[in-house]
Amino acid sequence: MTTKRQVHLAAHFPGVNNTTVWSDERAESQIAFSSFEHFARNAERGCFDFLFLAEGLRLREQKGRIHDLDVVGRPNTLAILAALAGVTSHIGLVGTLQTTFNEPVELAKQLATLDHLTDGRAGWNVVTSSDAFHGANFRRGGFLAHADRYTRAAEFIELSRELWDSWRADAVVTDTATGVFADRSRIRDVDHHGPQFDVTGTFPVPRSPQRHPVVVQAGDSDEGRDLAARHAEVVFSLHTEFGDAQAFFRDVTARLERAGRSKDGLHILPGATFVLGDTASDAEERARLIRRAQVSPATAIAFLEQIWNRDLSSYDVDGPLPTIEPDLESAEITRGRVRHVRDVTATVQQWRDLAAAEDLSIRDLVVRVSTRGGFVGTPAHIASEIDRYVQERACDGFVVVPHTNPYGLDEFVDTVVPLLQERGVYRSSYDEGATLRETLGLPSTVVERAASTAASTTALTASSGKPSTTVVSA
């Protein structure tokens, strides 16, 4: 009898994206701890592998003003996770943290501390940025070319693991006569000299319960996929359509093999929204209403402005697309948002053709092109689809993205999770005392980087021509 593959689920706290409906009557603050606490406790009630928080380094702007269609205010990720450690017992706590603007010693210390506080439930979603708008908030600025940011990220991760490994597991000694002390002979000084970082000294935090917090990665470019194959243990993917998800799964798996790693050491979890209903038609109607709520009239105009790079506030959101051409020469009027459209002219023509063929208004068109892949249907249908994706190797599970905060996950936990448990593909309880790595079923130690990936740390320096230098001491 073939053993069924187990489904892994993570919960993405709703926030700055085009899926969160802040006009919902039950919506609450994205800063109040009560919101985070409810969401975390509910995800733990559903036996989710981990809770996932995004990061914002600067508030987005539209036409020179703070983009108030997004939530205003982005609290510190690590502070929230540390607070959630006190109100949860089993669920992993994963934070999105930059490698472009942070420094390895400081961030490695913070993550190791979180891993101690949570008894081994910490995770790090590694992200990069080549955006000078965000970089202006930092001493280093936005100096990295797009293609070079993964070079810094790779060395950042490698150095972090070197710091975490500098304490042997038995370096902290308990003696009945003298108390607890660190055995200096079991602590290795770090002496790292690379193109990005010079670090010399003693890392101040003992080895944490997981040894290395679980590394999550979300890059989808060719460089991002290579970084994931070399270093990640979980990939947060954008590929949710079944065929596309299977192709991404195969591609990353092949890269793993070339990097000398086993597929057992990496889980691929696409982000997926969901809309539930008592019947298929109920779910479709509810999904239609949610999509309209996600794309308000102001949101629809702002969405087009990001592509046209023009002020389109005079246009009727229920009227046709603008006939004026996009401004490709001026500075972008939207700052702080990743632009996924590479060929603006071609994209605008595709949208015009689609709008003409289906008689779509501006708002209708934005609803159509901005809707992310997800599941719509009865709980039984959604449970069946999640299971199919995993059994047929389109992914290892999903990062569930609800559309309201903080109660958006409740219905999924109440109706879909029990059906997955009945299928025998999802846990009914946590293993007591399990670390996040154990909950995910990952190897107990991180696979060492293959020699073939040494080229990943090609020379790349800051604008001064020198790597950043840090001296650490206990």
Side-chain angles (χ1 to χ4, degrees):
M1 180 177 178
T2 303
T3 302
K4 290 185 176 181
R5 301 182 74 229
Q6 293 296 294
V7 171
H8 293 277
L9 295 177
H12 188 290
F13 185 80
V16 182
N17 52 42
N18 71 328
T19 62
T20 306
V21 179
W22 291 105
S23 60
D24 186 278
E25 62 181 11
R26 297 198 306 161
E28 296 185 5
S29 170
Q30 85 284 0
I31 295 178
F33 182 66
S34 58
S35 295
F36 294 102
E37 181 178 13
H38 177 88
F39 194 81
R41 287 184 184 275
N42 197 49
E44 189 165 68
R45 180 171 67 89
C47 295
F48 278 56
D49 289 15
F50 61 85
L51 166 72
F52 177 61
L53 295 186
E55 181 185 47
L57 300 180
R58 186 170 177 179
L59 294 177
R60 294 169 179 170
E61 294 182 6
Q62 185 94 352
K63 293 182 289 190
R65 301 188 298 273
I66 289 177
H67 185 47
D68 57 5
L69 297 176
D70 287 340
V71 292
V72 177
R74 302 300 301 272
N76 180 270
T77 296
L78 282 166
I80 295 167
L81 295 180
L84 290 177
V87 297
T88 58
S89 302
H90 304 287
I91 193 168
L93 302 173
V94 176
T96 302
L97 300 159
Q98 280 271 348
T99 59
T100 304
F101 304 120
N102 284 308
E103 293 294 326
V105 172
E106 181 179 25
L107 190 54
K109 179 181 178 181
Q110 292 168 334
L111 286 165
T113 300
L114 181 64
D115 207 43
H116 279 291
L117 287 175
T118 60
D119 293 325
R121 295 187 284 132
W124 172 24
N125 180 39
V126 178
V127 293
T128 67
S129 176
S130 58
D131 186 348
F133 173 73
H134 288 105
N137 267 0
F138 297 86
R139 171 182 59 83
R140 191 175 303 282
F143 73 97
L144 286 180
H146 183 276
D148 294 332
R149 60 188 188 178
Y150 289 107
T151 302
R152 178 180 173 91
E155 187 178 345
F156 197 118
I157 297 169
E158 291 162 359
L159 176 52
S160 295
R161 286 177 170 156
E162 186 178 352
L163 292 163
W164 293 327
D165 282 341
S166 64
W167 286 63
R168 280 175 33 180
D170 59 354
V172 177
V173 179
T174 301
D175 186 279
T176 55
T178 60
V180 179
F181 66 94
D183 185 341
R184 188 67 179 84
S185 67
R186 303 175 192 180
I187 303 170
R188 175 178 53 82
D189 281 349
V190 174
D191 189 25
H192 176 98
H193 305 285
Q196 283 293 301
F197 307 106
D198 276 332
V199 175
T200 302
T202 306
F203 187 59
V205 183
R207 179 169 293 190
S208 69
Q210 290 187 109
R211 175 179 168 193
H212 302 164
V214 171
V215 171
V216 183
Q217 200 266 346
D220 191 48
S221 65
D222 194 59
E223 299 93 339
R225 295 185 189 197
D226 277 342
L227 182 71
R230 292 192 302 271
H231 296 292
E233 295 165 284
V234 176
V235 171
F236 179 26
S237 160
L238 297 174
H239 300 272
T240 53
E241 298 299 330
F242 186 79
D244 188 33
Q246 277 191 321
F248 181 81
F249 190 94
R250 289 193 295 267
D251 177 72
V252 174
T253 299
R255 293 172 193 251
L256 274 175
E257 294 173 355
R258 292 196 293 270
R261 294 182 60 194
S262 165
K263 176 60 186 73
D264 293 339
L266 178 70
H267 292 327
I268 297 173
L269 307 180
T273 59
F274 67 93
V275 179
L276 290 159
D278 293 334
T279 65
S281 60
D282 287 343
E284 287 292 345
E285 174 59 17
R286 189 179 178 195
R288 186 187 70 81
L289 295 174
I290 289 171
R291 288 169 187 149
R292 299 288 288 184
Q294 289 169 335
V295 182
S296 68
T299 300
I301 293 298
F303 185 90
L304 280 200
E305 288 179 340
Q306 293 161 18
I307 305 302
W308 260 259
N309 203 37
R310 294 181 182 275
D311 183 343
L312 303 178
S313 57
S314 63
Y315 282 81
D316 180 3
V317 73
D318 294 316
L321 294 182
T323 56
I324 191 172
E325 296 304 315
D327 182 353
L328 304 179
E329 304 299 328
S330 301
E332 292 184 6
I333 64 173
T334 300
R335 301 198 297 172
R337 182 184 293 276
V338 176
R339 176 181 280 189
H340 296 289
V341 173
R342 293 192 175 138
D343 189 335
V344 171
T345 301
T347 297
V348 168
Q349 188 57 53
Q350 290 170 3
W351 289 358
R352 284 173 171 162
D353 293 343
L354 177 61
E358 300 186 18
D359 192 25
L360 300 177
S361 67
I362 288 175
R363 190 179 185 188
D364 292 335
L365 184 280
V366 174
V367 168
R368 173 71 67 83
V369 301
S370 67
T371 299
R372 296 181 179 179
F375 298 110
V376 177
T378 64
H381 170 74
I382 291 179
S384 175
E385 282 295 278
I386 290 173
D387 190 17
R388 180 172 74 95
Y389 270 68
V390 173
Q391 303 311 322
E392 297 183 23
R393 286 176 165 73
C395 62
D396 296 292
F398 290 92
V399 176
V400 180
V401 186
H403 68 271
T404 60
N405 168 60
Y407 304 106
L409 198 65
D410 297 31
E411 190 177 15
F412 186 96
V413 171
D414 290 336
T415 63
V416 177
V417 165
L419 296 178
L420 292 172
Q421 292 167 338
E422 287 178 11
R423 287 172 168 264
V425 297
Y426 190 71
R427 72 173 66 85
S428 297
S429 62
Y430 294 99
D431 291 337
E432 196 61 37
T435 65
L436 174 56
R437 178 168 283 107
E438 290 167 340
T439 296
L440 286 162
L442 294 167
S444 58
T445 57
V446 178
V447 177
E448 297 299 329
R449 182 171 65 94
S452 61
T453 65
S456 67
T457 51
T458 54
L460 174 66
T461 61
S463 56
S464 64
K466 297 179 181 180
S468 57
T469 301
T470 304
V471 177
V472 294
S473 60

